[in-house]
Structures are given as structure tokens and as C-alpha cells.
Amino acid sequence: MELLDEGIELGLLLQDAMSRPAIATKFDLRHRISVFYSCPSLDFHDSESAIMAKPILLTVDDDADVLRAIERDLRSHYGAQYRVLASDSPQSAIELLNQLKLRSDTVALLLADQRMPKMDGVQFLQEAREVFPDAKRALLTAYADTNAAISAINEVGINYFFLKPWDPPDEHLYPQLDDLLDDWQASHRPTFEGIRVLGTRWSPRSYELRDFLARNHVPYQWIDVELSVNDGETKRLLDALGPEAANLPVVLFPDGTKLLESAPADVAQKVGLRTRAQTSFYDLAIIGGGPAGLAAAVYGASEGLHTVIVEREAPGGQAGMSSRIENYLGFPTGLSGGDLARRAVVQAQRFGVEILSPQEAVAARTEGSYRIIKLADGNEISCHALMIATGVQWRRLEAPGIEHLQGAGVYYGGGATEAISYKGEIVYVVGGANSAGQAAMNFARYAERVVMLVRGDSLSRTMSQYLIDQIQRTPNIQLWRHASVAEVHGDKRLEEISVLCSDTNKIERVPADAMFIFIGAMPRTEWLSNLVQRDDRGFILTGPDLLWEGSRPKGWVPDRDPFLLETNIPGVFAVGDVRHGSVKRVASGVGEGSVAVQFIHQYLSKV
């Protein structure tokens, strides 16, 4: 088989470097939009940022001389606007079309010779139509095959036929092709060219991937293969995958490669997210990429410290999952947690901060003036100053039936990118803090009804007044007081929940499409238990909280008290929600991260 694309063979066509830039530079991450097409199961994230590749003109002929001639003439006249591919085998051309479908390429024209062995031109164009139904289809025929060409136009929807030879092309080829391609351009709707995720709505693995990509600001298209079972484009994509379509979720990349039953770590490596440090030593290592950690990184790096952030999931932390933050200074109309995280990441990287994400710190130790962090992949990095900014994680809800439905209707936190999926449905939000209120307001834009379950008699003790006022003004949000989840019901997905009313001690079983849980937070500091002092709940003690009756912590060496945000280990600091006594607000975390850098400078001046 001969494939001609400006001298590139089929194998090279399917490699990363053929005609598309690397994913790391393919998308403009400064903007974030959502576009929803008519099919409700296809939602597009960051679709404006994809760089459009040229549409393809594919010609097929088993005669090598004719193939070269038509390929030459097509490239000469249309090469500036289109990519020209040529194949000497209709069977190989069908395989190529399937690969192009997986790459999300666009085919504008199929031009095939009528007389070919095993599969003639009409048969090829019929099969190719199943893969690219919108492409214009034309035949190259000899005079003797004119009747067959006319029949093909009438019976199978071929758009045109050309007689061989077509010299001069300015008279016998280009005018007719111009009309076909103008017609194609007029009706063509550009396809999304980024990463595509195929899965099912109630698959925990699919949800994990969508959440990971969204939180890391990686553009992607989500295709629910169950909801879009009658969508022709989805069917063609699944046909192109063949038996591999059973290995959901499947992630398709613009270079034609794919990952089956994918995990976030595999996708992270493919899209170019950095998980390995560029060097082994840093002035400042920050564990946690929430607002506190990002603020510390910006201030530290801007003041000359070689800085690295190690983030377990995605920069922004829990704040990055918030649908709307309206009380953050300087943003009178509010901003989403994702926007805040994106801005902070860009700012940090501008100052040279290295961000390892997703990556996890699993242990830490000291060796003289060095603080050494062991990472989940077995590698280690060392630093002079270590900052713990790991924040908190949502406390688990204890209720029968909940474990096997996590990720299939039951979720902890988040939901900012999922709200539109619950249009016209019933969503329960468990908890009464600001994060729960922000989620309820976000879901109320789409859901038929949002029910907030709170144990107390009001929201005033745990939620900002501006959010309470918004909730009260939103007609499809209901507040159920003195309520808790007694049991969760469903086979493959959440279907119902049993709600206990503490006033009456009665349980009511109600239908539910989704439940998002925000019931308090616990620090994830077990990996530090042998290094820093913590309170009985696991929050890290710092500064004055380490002094007992005026005495410094046991083993403390410097001739000074611990700095305000310093732990019992000199040079190890804790900021944000993970710190004992912290104020659980975004602005507070940003403030602590910024202030801590001044103490770090003082510490480093003595090292």
C-alpha cells in the first residue's frame, strides 16, 4: 500500500509529530468556556482552544501513475487549505479513515477510481460514507464506466464523477471540485480536536477522569456512550474503535493514540503534566497546591527562592472545586475556584515555580539542615525549607449502602463541572458550610430541585450571610433542618436515600439522582506523624501553640521561639486549613502562605 501525504507514510501519519503540535502547546489554557451542542450527552470543555488542522482530501486509486497525477493536481491547487492523502488500496483507505476518525480529523472529499480489484470505487465510497458521512464523494471513471457513475449518483448519493484524463485540470477538475468544496464548507461544523473521553455517566472511573481533567484545566470532550447511543457520530466513533470500545473509559488523543480503562496518572503522563522533579534540591518545597500553597509559591519564587509544589490531585485544592467565591477581595462579581486556581498557577509558573501534579508526598524526614520528602513514585527531593499546605479532605459519611455508590451518584465535594448533567433532576447537598451553599447555588441553575440536608436548626453558624440570602431567594432550593442521611439505595447508581429527621426520629425514603457531601473536613497528616506535632484531630501545631507553659518544644535547637507558622521542626512550616486554629477561608489561606515566606527568609538566613 502506498500512502502519499507530502512524502509521509501511514505509520508516520499516526505518530505525534506529523501535523499537530504537542498537547502541552496545543491548547490556550488562559480561557475556559463550555459549549453544549444539541446532543445532551456531548459536552465540550475549552473547545475554543483547539488548533484546527486542515481538512483532508483523500484520493484512492490502484493505478500508481493515475494516483500520483491526481495527488499532484490536488496538492497544487488545494494544498494551502487542505491536506491531501492518497492510497493505492481501498481496504487500506478504509483503515486509514477509521484512524482519522479516532484522531478527530475532518475529511472534506473522497475521490476514488471506479475500477479497482476486490472493491470498486462505488463500494469504497459507500463504506467510507459510514465513517465520514458529510464528506463529498466523487468518482474517477473511464468513458466506458459512465453509466455506472450516473447510477451511483442516482442510487447511492455520489456527488460527482470525473472522466479520465482530466487535462487540463483548470477546465475539467478544479471548477467542479471548487463547487463541491464550497458546498461542503458552507454546511461544515468543525469538530472538537482535543482529548475525548468515552464512558458512562454512572461509572466511577469515568467521573474520576472527568474531574481530574477539569481540575487540571485540560480541555476535553465528554461522550456518554449510553446517553448518546442513537447519535450517529458517536456510533461511528465506537465502530472505529471496534472491540476496544468495550474497555471503558477510553481516552482518545489528537495524535491518534488511546488509553483503555484509563487512570488519571496515565492521562497525566500523556498530556504532559509534570510528575517528576527537574532537580533533587530546592530552597523551598511546598506540599499542597491549594490557595495557601500557591500564594507561598508565588511570593517565594518572586523573591528568588527555587521553589517546587507537590500537589496530590490538582492545583487549587478544595477551593479550586468551588463553583463561585463571592467574598474574595478584589473580585466584586465573584470568581470560580477554577478561575482562581488557574490564575494562581499561571502567576506561579511565571516566576519559575515547578509544579508536580498529580504527585503525592508519602513521608518526610530531616538530615541536618536538609528536609527530605519521599514521593509516591519512590523518588525523593530535598530542600532547606519545607511548607505543609495540604489542606483538608472531606469527612466520610457513614451510612449503609454508600461505599459502592461513590462515583455513581454519591460524591464528596466538587460538582462544579457536573451541574449541567443534572438538568431537570433532584440533587441533595449534605452539609451547611460555605462550600455546600456554593454547590447548592450552582446545581440550582440546572436541577429541578436541590435539597440541602443540615443537622442544625439553621445555616447562620456555618455559612456566610451572603450565601444564606441567595439560597433563601432561590425557589428550587429546599433546606431540610435537623436532617441526616440514614441509608443510601441503588444498584449500579444512586436511586434513593433515607433521610432521618432528628426532631421526630422518623425516616423518609426519597428519590435522588445525586448526592454531594460537604460534612466537615479532616487533615491528611498521617504521613507526618513521626515528624511534626499535631493536635488530637491531626491538625499541625505551629508557633505559640507549641509552647507549653513558656517552654519550647522538646528537641528544639535554635535560640529562639518557633516562628508564628513554624512547626516543632525548624524550617518546617504549616499554613492554611491543615494548621491548628486556622480560619477556614480562602483569603486566610492566601494570607498565611504569603506571610510564611517572610519567616522562611529569616530561617534560611541562619542555615
PDB file of all heavy atoms in Angstrom, residues 246-269:
ATOM      1  N   ALA A 246     -15.264  -1.731  24.272  1.00  0.00           N
ATOM      2  CA  ALA A 246     -15.761  -2.361  25.498  1.00  0.00           C
ATOM      3  C   ALA A 246     -14.921  -1.999  26.717  1.00  0.00           C
ATOM      4  O   ALA A 246     -15.352  -2.210  27.854  1.00  0.00           O
ATOM      5  CB  ALA A 246     -15.797  -3.879  25.326  1.00  0.00           C
ATOM      6  N   ASN A 247     -13.732  -1.444  26.494  1.00  0.00           N
ATOM      7  CA  ASN A 247     -12.813  -1.154  27.601  1.00  0.00           C
ATOM      8  C   ASN A 247     -12.967   0.285  28.071  1.00  0.00           C
ATOM      9  O   ASN A 247     -12.040   1.093  28.005  1.00  0.00           O
ATOM     10  CB  ASN A 247     -11.370  -1.423  27.167  1.00  0.00           C
ATOM     11  CG  ASN A 247     -11.151  -2.856  26.735  1.00  0.00           C
ATOM     12  OD1 ASN A 247     -11.516  -3.782  27.448  1.00  0.00           O
ATOM     13  ND2 ASN A 247     -10.575  -3.050  25.562  1.00  0.00           N
ATOM     14  N   LEU A 248     -14.152   0.621  28.555  1.00  0.00           N
ATOM     15  CA  LEU A 248     -14.427   1.979  29.008  1.00  0.00           C
ATOM     16  C   LEU A 248     -13.906   2.198  30.422  1.00  0.00           C
ATOM     17  O   LEU A 248     -13.888   1.268  31.226  1.00  0.00           O
ATOM     18  CB  LEU A 248     -15.932   2.239  28.959  1.00  0.00           C
ATOM     19  CG  LEU A 248     -16.579   2.167  27.573  1.00  0.00           C
ATOM     20  CD1 LEU A 248     -18.083   2.333  27.683  1.00  0.00           C
ATOM     21  CD2 LEU A 248     -15.993   3.210  26.643  1.00  0.00           C
ATOM     22  N   PRO A 249     -13.521   3.443  30.767  1.00  0.00           N
ATOM     23  CA  PRO A 249     -13.476   4.598  29.874  1.00  0.00           C
ATOM     24  C   PRO A 249     -12.284   4.545  28.925  1.00  0.00           C
ATOM     25  O   PRO A 249     -11.235   4.020  29.260  1.00  0.00           O
ATOM     26  CB  PRO A 249     -13.349   5.773  30.843  1.00  0.00           C
ATOM     27  CG  PRO A 249     -12.663   5.193  32.041  1.00  0.00           C
ATOM     28  CD  PRO A 249     -13.154   3.784  32.156  1.00  0.00           C
ATOM     29  N   VAL A 250     -12.494   5.119  27.736  1.00  0.00           N
ATOM     30  CA  VAL A 250     -11.450   5.223  26.726  1.00  0.00           C
ATOM     31  C   VAL A 250     -11.124   6.700  26.537  1.00  0.00           C
ATOM     32  O   VAL A 250     -12.031   7.530  26.419  1.00  0.00           O
ATOM     33  CB  VAL A 250     -11.902   4.617  25.388  1.00  0.00           C
ATOM     34  CG1 VAL A 250     -10.844   4.838  24.311  1.00  0.00           C
ATOM     35  CG2 VAL A 250     -12.190   3.123  25.539  1.00  0.00           C
ATOM     36  N   VAL A 251      -9.843   7.020  26.521  1.00  0.00           N
ATOM     37  CA  VAL A 251      -9.406   8.386  26.269  1.00  0.00           C
ATOM     38  C   VAL A 251      -8.718   8.419  24.916  1.00  0.00           C
ATOM     39  O   VAL A 251      -7.765   7.672  24.676  1.00  0.00           O
ATOM     40  CB  VAL A 251      -8.454   8.898  27.369  1.00  0.00           C
ATOM     41  CG1 VAL A 251      -8.043  10.338  27.089  1.00  0.00           C
ATOM     42  CG2 VAL A 251      -9.115   8.801  28.739  1.00  0.00           C
ATOM     43  N   LEU A 252      -9.231   9.271  24.020  1.00  0.00           N
ATOM     44  CA  LEU A 252      -8.665   9.428  22.684  1.00  0.00           C
ATOM     45  C   LEU A 252      -7.897  10.741  22.614  1.00  0.00           C
ATOM     46  O   LEU A 252      -8.408  11.781  23.036  1.00  0.00           O
ATOM     47  CB  LEU A 252      -9.774   9.430  21.630  1.00  0.00           C
ATOM     48  CG  LEU A 252     -10.680   8.194  21.590  1.00  0.00           C
ATOM     49  CD1 LEU A 252     -11.774   8.379  20.557  1.00  0.00           C
ATOM     50  CD2 LEU A 252      -9.868   6.946  21.292  1.00  0.00           C
ATOM     51  N   PHE A 253      -6.693  10.689  22.076  1.00  0.00           N
ATOM     52  CA  PHE A 253      -5.839  11.863  21.987  1.00  0.00           C
ATOM     53  C   PHE A 253      -5.751  12.338  20.538  1.00  0.00           C
ATOM     54  O   PHE A 253      -5.937  11.553  19.598  1.00  0.00           O
ATOM     55  CB  PHE A 253      -4.446  11.547  22.529  1.00  0.00           C
ATOM     56  CG  PHE A 253      -4.440  11.191  23.984  1.00  0.00           C
ATOM     57  CD1 PHE A 253      -4.548   9.866  24.391  1.00  0.00           C
ATOM     58  CD2 PHE A 253      -4.363  12.179  24.952  1.00  0.00           C
ATOM     59  CE1 PHE A 253      -4.569   9.536  25.735  1.00  0.00           C
ATOM     60  CE2 PHE A 253      -4.381  11.861  26.291  1.00  0.00           C
ATOM     61  CZ  PHE A 253      -4.491  10.536  26.692  1.00  0.00           C
ATOM     62  N   PRO A 254      -5.450  13.618  20.336  1.00  0.00           N
ATOM     63  CA  PRO A 254      -5.417  14.160  18.971  1.00  0.00           C
ATOM     64  C   PRO A 254      -4.389  13.504  18.057  1.00  0.00           C
ATOM     65  O   PRO A 254      -4.517  13.613  16.850  1.00  0.00           O
ATOM     66  CB  PRO A 254      -5.079  15.644  19.195  1.00  0.00           C
ATOM     67  CG  PRO A 254      -5.516  15.938  20.583  1.00  0.00           C
ATOM     68  CD  PRO A 254      -5.285  14.680  21.352  1.00  0.00           C
ATOM     69  N   ASP A 255      -3.385  12.845  18.633  1.00  0.00           N
ATOM     70  CA  ASP A 255      -2.376  12.214  17.777  1.00  0.00           C
ATOM     71  C   ASP A 255      -2.774  10.810  17.335  1.00  0.00           C
ATOM     72  O   ASP A 255      -2.006  10.120  16.685  1.00  0.00           O
ATOM     73  CB  ASP A 255      -1.018  12.176  18.485  1.00  0.00           C
ATOM     74  CG  ASP A 255      -1.044  11.348  19.773  1.00  0.00           C
ATOM     75  OD1 ASP A 255      -2.103  10.742  20.071  1.00  0.00           O
ATOM     76  OD2 ASP A 255      -0.023  11.317  20.477  1.00  0.00           O
ATOM     77  N   GLY A 256      -3.996  10.380  17.711  1.00  0.00           N
ATOM     78  CA  GLY A 256      -4.469   9.070  17.299  1.00  0.00           C
ATOM     79  C   GLY A 256      -4.247   7.977  18.324  1.00  0.00           C
ATOM     80  O   GLY A 256      -4.780   6.874  18.175  1.00  0.00           O
ATOM     81  N   THR A 257      -3.487   8.221  19.359  1.00  0.00           N
ATOM     82  CA  THR A 257      -3.288   7.217  20.393  1.00  0.00           C
ATOM     83  C   THR A 257      -4.491   7.188  21.330  1.00  0.00           C
ATOM     84  O   THR A 257      -5.291   8.116  21.375  1.00  0.00           O
ATOM     85  CB  THR A 257      -2.013   7.479  21.203  1.00  0.00           C
ATOM     86  OG1 THR A 257      -2.107   8.764  21.824  1.00  0.00           O
ATOM     87  CG2 THR A 257      -0.788   7.447  20.307  1.00  0.00           C
ATOM     88  N   LYS A 258      -4.595   6.113  22.090  1.00  0.00           N
ATOM     89  CA  LYS A 258      -5.724   5.966  23.006  1.00  0.00           C
ATOM     90  C   LYS A 258      -5.287   5.204  24.250  1.00  0.00           C
ATOM     91  O   LYS A 258      -4.343   4.416  24.224  1.00  0.00           O
ATOM     92  CB  LYS A 258      -6.878   5.234  22.314  1.00  0.00           C
ATOM     93  CG  LYS A 258      -6.516   3.928  21.640  1.00  0.00           C
ATOM     94  CD  LYS A 258      -7.676   3.400  20.826  1.00  0.00           C
ATOM     95  CE  LYS A 258      -7.268   2.170  20.008  1.00  0.00           C
ATOM     96  NZ  LYS A 258      -6.387   2.522  18.888  1.00  0.00           N
ATOM     97  N   LEU A 259      -5.980   5.464  25.336  1.00  0.00           N
ATOM     98  CA  LEU A 259      -5.778   4.748  26.592  1.00  0.00           C
ATOM     99  C   LEU A 259      -7.076   4.064  26.962  1.00  0.00           C
ATOM    100  O   LEU A 259      -8.129   4.703  27.000  1.00  0.00           O
ATOM    101  CB  LEU A 259      -5.352   5.706  27.706  1.00  0.00           C
ATOM    102  CG  LEU A 259      -3.962   6.338  27.589  1.00  0.00           C
ATOM    103  CD1 LEU A 259      -3.745   7.347  28.713  1.00  0.00           C
ATOM    104  CD2 LEU A 259      -2.872   5.267  27.635  1.00  0.00           C
ATOM    105  N   LEU A 260      -7.017   2.769  27.221  1.00  0.00           N
ATOM    106  CA  LEU A 260      -8.198   1.987  27.570  1.00  0.00           C
ATOM    107  C   LEU A 260      -8.273   1.807  29.075  1.00  0.00           C
ATOM    108  O   LEU A 260      -7.260   1.592  29.736  1.00  0.00           O
ATOM    109  CB  LEU A 260      -8.153   0.621  26.882  1.00  0.00           C
ATOM    110  CG  LEU A 260      -7.891   0.627  25.364  1.00  0.00           C
ATOM    111  CD1 LEU A 260      -7.821  -0.795  24.833  1.00  0.00           C
ATOM    112  CD2 LEU A 260      -8.955   1.423  24.635  1.00  0.00           C
ATOM    113  N   GLU A 261      -9.500   1.886  29.618  1.00  0.00           N
ATOM    114  CA  GLU A 261      -9.713   1.770  31.064  1.00  0.00           C
ATOM    115  C   GLU A 261      -8.722   2.677  31.804  1.00  0.00           C
ATOM    116  O   GLU A 261      -7.997   2.250  32.699  1.00  0.00           O
ATOM    117  CB  GLU A 261      -9.576   0.312  31.514  1.00  0.00           C
ATOM    118  CG  GLU A 261     -10.615  -0.593  30.888  1.00  0.00           C
ATOM    119  CD  GLU A 261     -10.485  -2.052  31.316  1.00  0.00           C
ATOM    120  OE1 GLU A 261      -9.350  -2.581  31.300  1.00  0.00           O
ATOM    121  OE2 GLU A 261     -11.505  -2.653  31.663  1.00  0.00           O
ATOM    122  N   SER A 262      -8.721   3.913  31.408  1.00  0.00           N
ATOM    123  CA  SER A 262      -7.659   4.834  31.802  1.00  0.00           C
ATOM    124  C   SER A 262      -7.736   5.235  33.259  1.00  0.00           C
ATOM    125  O   SER A 262      -8.805   5.302  33.858  1.00  0.00           O
ATOM    126  CB  SER A 262      -7.725   6.095  30.928  1.00  0.00           C
ATOM    127  OG  SER A 262      -7.816   5.746  29.579  1.00  0.00           O
ATOM    128  N   ALA A 263      -6.579   5.554  33.839  1.00  0.00           N
ATOM    129  CA  ALA A 263      -6.456   6.138  35.167  1.00  0.00           C
ATOM    130  C   ALA A 263      -5.862   7.534  35.026  1.00  0.00           C
ATOM    131  O   ALA A 263      -5.125   7.811  34.065  1.00  0.00           O
ATOM    132  CB  ALA A 263      -5.556   5.266  36.051  1.00  0.00           C
ATOM    133  N   PRO A 264      -6.169   8.449  35.952  1.00  0.00           N
ATOM    134  CA  PRO A 264      -5.641   9.814  35.854  1.00  0.00           C
ATOM    135  C   PRO A 264      -4.131   9.882  35.695  1.00  0.00           C
ATOM    136  O   PRO A 264      -3.625  10.726  34.947  1.00  0.00           O
ATOM    137  CB  PRO A 264      -6.117  10.457  37.156  1.00  0.00           C
ATOM    138  CG  PRO A 264      -7.389   9.755  37.477  1.00  0.00           C
ATOM    139  CD  PRO A 264      -7.137   8.320  37.052  1.00  0.00           C
ATOM    140  N   ALA A 265      -3.392   9.002  36.374  1.00  0.00           N
ATOM    141  CA  ALA A 265      -1.932   9.053  36.279  1.00  0.00           C
ATOM    142  C   ALA A 265      -1.455   8.782  34.859  1.00  0.00           C
ATOM    143  O   ALA A 265      -0.507   9.406  34.371  1.00  0.00           O
ATOM    144  CB  ALA A 265      -1.309   8.043  37.243  1.00  0.00           C
ATOM    145  N   ASP A 266      -2.125   7.853  34.164  1.00  0.00           N
ATOM    146  CA  ASP A 266      -1.745   7.553  32.786  1.00  0.00           C
ATOM    147  C   ASP A 266      -2.023   8.747  31.879  1.00  0.00           C
ATOM    148  O   ASP A 266      -1.219   9.093  31.011  1.00  0.00           O
ATOM    149  CB  ASP A 266      -2.523   6.333  32.283  1.00  0.00           C
ATOM    150  CG  ASP A 266      -2.270   5.097  33.124  1.00  0.00           C
ATOM    151  OD1 ASP A 266      -1.132   4.941  33.590  1.00  0.00           O
ATOM    152  OD2 ASP A 266      -3.213   4.312  33.319  1.00  0.00           O
ATOM    153  N   VAL A 267      -3.182   9.371  32.086  1.00  0.00           N
ATOM    154  CA  VAL A 267      -3.546  10.527  31.272  1.00  0.00           C
ATOM    155  C   VAL A 267      -2.600  11.685  31.555  1.00  0.00           C
ATOM    156  O   VAL A 267      -2.196  12.411  30.652  1.00  0.00           O
ATOM    157  CB  VAL A 267      -5.005  10.926  31.531  1.00  0.00           C
ATOM    158  CG1 VAL A 267      -5.371  12.177  30.749  1.00  0.00           C
ATOM    159  CG2 VAL A 267      -5.941   9.779  31.157  1.00  0.00           C
ATOM    160  N   ALA A 268      -2.258  11.879  32.826  1.00  0.00           N
ATOM    161  CA  ALA A 268      -1.352  12.967  33.202  1.00  0.00           C
ATOM    162  C   ALA A 268      -0.030  12.854  32.470  1.00  0.00           C
ATOM    163  O   ALA A 268       0.515  13.846  31.969  1.00  0.00           O
ATOM    164  CB  ALA A 268      -1.129  12.960  34.710  1.00  0.00           C
ATOM    165  N   GLN A 269       0.498  11.654  32.396  1.00  0.00           N
ATOM    166  CA  GLN A 269       1.772  11.455  31.709  1.00  0.00           C
ATOM    167  C   GLN A 269       1.640  11.757  30.220  1.00  0.00           C
ATOM    168  O   GLN A 269       2.513  12.384  29.618  1.00  0.00           O
ATOM    169  CB  GLN A 269       2.259  10.016  31.913  1.00  0.00           C
ATOM    170  CG  GLN A 269       3.625   9.734  31.311  1.00  0.00           C
ATOM    171  CD  GLN A 269       4.110   8.331  31.620  1.00  0.00           C
ATOM    172  OE1 GLN A 269       3.380   7.518  32.190  1.00  0.00           O
ATOM    173  NE2 GLN A 269       5.336   8.021  31.261  1.00  0.00           N
TER     174      GLN A 269
END
